[in-house]
Amino acid sequence: MEAQYGGLGRCACSFWLAVAFDIVGLTVLLLGVFVSVFFYDLLIYAGAIVIFLSLIWWVFWYSGNIEVPPAELEDDVGLLKKKRSAGGIGGAVRSLSSRVSSGIRNSFRRNGGGGTLGSRAQRSAARTPGSQRTGQVSVAMETMAPQESTLHPADPPVAEVAMPHTAMETSPT
């Protein structure tokens, strides 16, 4: 059931895009190096960037042509063979891993999930007796009398400004 592909493999489009990006990038780069224009540095950088972007298409082409036999895929989708899953180091590691991950999963369920800080704060505030949240918090601002300054005789006098009494109410947002 093996399909026959051409010499380029399954992803010929990615191959040709990679080649096109390399040709365009190299052309722009060489134009920047050998042609006497005032924006030669732009051409050099643009050519290098286009060549770098061609690496994406090369990776697509390469990874698209990797062939994995179906026997090796069985283990990835959870269809373990009986002889492999029975014992040995692999079986011990698998059972230890499932025990640890299920323990971690169950601890999250017991503790109410990994909630946000706000929900934790609300839960702790709800647990403490007599804690109520009020809608507004008032903050009073008061002016203070100027204190005697210990200025040196050579220092110029400082003008005193009286501030009116103000009160401000704020609400937590």
Side-chain angles (χ1 to χ4, degrees):
M1 188 168 182
E2 201 154 313
Q4 292 293 341
Y5 298 102
L8 298 177
R10 286 185 287 252
C11 301
C13 183
S14 295
F15 175 82
W16 290 116
L17 277 170
V19 170
F21 270 58
D22 281 337
I23 291 172
V24 169
L26 187 63
T27 304
V28 171
L29 181 104
L30 291 176
L31 280 174
V33 171
F34 293 115
V35 175
S36 179
V37 290
F38 69 94
F39 55 92
Y40 67 93
D41 52 346
L42 174 72
L43 294 175
I44 292 172
Y45 288 133
I49 289 171
V50 171
I51 291 172
F52 177 75
L53 291 176
S54 77
L55 289 174
I56 295 171
W57 298 112
W58 285 116
V59 168
F60 283 169
W61 176 74
Y62 180 79
S63 61
N65 287 316
I66 294 175
E67 295 194 20
V68 180
E72 289 184 26
L73 286 176
E74 286 179 355
D75 193 29
D76 290 340
V77 293
L79 302 173
L80 299 175
K81 294 180 180 177
K82 295 292 182 191
K83 64 177 183 175
R84 252 194 231 170
S85 64
I89 294 176
V93 169
R94 227 174 267 114
S95 67
L96 177 68
S97 170
S98 66
R99 222 179 300 148
V100 169
S101 64
S102 66
I104 291 171
R105 194 177 316 117
N106 290 337
S107 72
F108 279 128
R109 288 182 186 149
R110 262 182 275 141
N111 294 336
T116 61
L117 287 174
S119 64
R120 285 184 195 153
Q122 289 171 356
R123 283 195 304 261
S124 66
R127 283 187 209 131
T128 57
S131 64
Q132 290 182 332
R133 300 184 86 176
T134 60
Q136 292 185 346
V137 176
S138 67
V139 177
M141 298 172 59
E142 181 179 338
T143 58
M144 296 179 61
Q147 296 179 350
E148 183 75 28
S149 67
T150 56
L151 297 176
H152 298 322
D155 290 338
V158 178
E160 295 181 16
V161 177
M163 295 181 62
H165 177 71
T166 60
M168 180 172 66
E169 291 186 6
T170 60
S171 62
T173 54

